[in-house]
Structures are given as structure tokens and as C-alpha cells.
Amino acid sequence: MNEKDMSAEQTFSEKRYKTIFDIASVSLWEEDYSEIKKNINDLKSKGISDFRKYFSETPDFVYKAAQMIKILNVNNFTLKLYKARNKDELLSSLGKVFTTESYKTFKEVLIAIAEGKTYFEAEAVNKTLQGEPIDIFISITIPSEDAGFKNLLVSIFDITRLKKI
């Protein structure tokens, strides 16, 4: 395959991915966790190995780590789930979406990353921009290489109706 064909193939793959991302009937978030991974690596180099204990004793790290996340993109279903008119409205109102419980779940994500796990999943509660609670199931495939943290895909399933049943 020559360079031109490879470029065309890559463009086709990117368009296909973008289409699937946009029309998926699950909330998808593309996020950059590279700064978080760097900070966890720094903690490891300082000899910290019990991250559950460390994050419990240093809750500020969890809140600071949450601020380190760069949200690169969200799909249309995400806007619908959180009842946002557009991406800017959602991204500028994340403080309304995440609850105290969200930080407990995020702490577990950080522990999974620090322990080198390759997958994380959990139930949690978020809120719509109007303050209505949403029961969610969050799923993250954790990359094995540091470079993979620049583009993490987070899937959020709305399980509110299932929880009510």
C-alpha cells in the first residue's frame, strides 16, 4: 500500500469512527488522562504503593485529578442523557453533573489506573443539568501504555429505568 492509499484508508477509518461515535446509543466521552497518569507515575516514583490508603488520606489529590481531565469530545447521546443543548453547555456545567458519589467512583478509577488494571466498571449516580439523578454504569478500558492515556474512551450507560424496576 502506498502513502496515498494509507492516508485515504486512515481518513476513511477516522470518518467511520466519528460516525459510529456520534450515532451510538450510549454516552461516549473521549478524555485525556495523560496528566493524571503522569501524576500517578510520580507518586509511584516516590514509593507510594497503597493507593487506596493514599487517596483516602489525601482526598485533595482525587479532586485535583478530576480537574486534570481534558474532555476532548462527547457524543450526541451524552447531550441527550444529561439534557444539554450542546457540548459547550455540558462541558461548562460539569459541576452540576457530578455528585459526591461521583468522586468516590473516580477514586476507584484512579486506584485501577495506579494498580495497572486494564478495565474499570462501576455503577454511580450523576445528575442532568436540571438536577435530576441518573443511575449510570461506567466502563473504561485502561491502556497499558502511557501514550494511550491521551485518548481514553469512557462509556456511560443509563441504567435509571433498570434500577427503578
Side-chain angles (χ1 to χ4, degrees), residues 16 24 32 37 41 51 57 63 94 98 100 110 123-124 138 140 153:
R16 184 170 177 241
D32 180 342
K37 180 62 171 153
N41 288 346
F51 285 91
E57 293 175 351
Y63 295 105
L94 292 176
F98 300 111
T100 303
L110 294 175
E123 290 185 18
I138 184 170
I140 304 171
L153 187 63

Side-chain angles (χ1 to χ4, degrees), residues 9-21:
E9 179 72 25
Q10 183 178 2
T11 301
F12 174 75
S13 293
E14 289 171 3
K15 285 180 182 178
R16 184 170 177 241
Y17 171 81
K18 178 83 172 118
T19 299
I20 292 168
F21 180 86

Side-chain angles (χ1 to χ4, degrees), residues 104-119:
K104 291 176 188 172
T105 304
F106 182 62
K107 179 175 115 176
E108 296 300 319
V109 171
L110 294 175
I111 292 167
I113 291 169
E115 292 178 349
K117 296 198 173 150
T118 58
Y119 194 73

Side-chain angles (χ1 to χ4, degrees), residues 7-158:
S7 178
E9 179 72 25
Q10 183 178 2
T11 301
F12 174 75
S13 293
E14 289 171 3
K15 285 180 182 178
R16 184 170 177 241
Y17 171 81
K18 178 83 172 118
T19 299
I20 292 168
F21 180 86
D22 285 338
I23 66 169
S25 58
V26 62
S27 174
L28 298 173
W29 301 63
E30 286 181 303
E31 300 180 353
D32 180 342
Y33 272 54
S34 58
E35 192 174 340
I36 292 170
K37 180 62 171 153
K38 179 187 173 301
N39 277 267
I40 288 173
N41 288 346
D42 289 346
L43 292 173
K44 286 181 179 182
S45 71
K46 293 176 182 174
I48 294 169
S49 59
D50 186 345
F51 285 91
R52 182 169 303 284
K53 179 180 176 188
Y54 179 81
F55 295 144
S56 293
E57 293 175 351
T58 318
D60 284 353
F61 182 90
V62 176
Y63 295 105
K64 288 177 184 173
Q67 301 304 313
M68 293 177 199
I69 298 170
K70 295 180 189 109
I71 299 172
L72 306 173
N73 201 3
V74 297
N75 69 347
N76 295 326
F77 191 86
T78 301
L79 302 177
K80 180 180 169 187
L81 177 62
Y82 291 96
K83 298 185 179 177
R85 290 186 298 265
N86 54 53
K87 290 176 190 176
D88 289 337
E89 180 184 30
L90 176 64
L91 298 181
S92 67
S93 305
L94 292 176
K96 295 178 181 178
V97 169
F98 300 111
T99 65
T100 303
E101 183 183 322
S102 301
Y103 287 100
K104 291 176 188 172
T105 304
F106 182 62
K107 179 175 115 176
E108 296 300 319
V109 171
L110 294 175
I111 292 167
I113 291 169
E115 292 178 349
K117 296 198 173 150
T118 58
Y119 194 73
F120 176 82
E121 60 184 26
E123 290 185 18
V125 176
N126 283 172
K127 291 186 177 179
T128 66
L129 293 185
Q130 294 72 31
E132 302 160 10
I134 310 167
D135 292 296
I136 63 166
F137 181 82
I138 184 170
S139 170
I140 304 171
T141 299
I142 302 170
S144 56
E145 301 293 324
D146 285 2
F149 284 87
K150 287 189 174 288
N151 196 320
L152 224 70
L153 187 63
V154 178
S155 305
I156 297 177
F157 302 88
D158 181 2

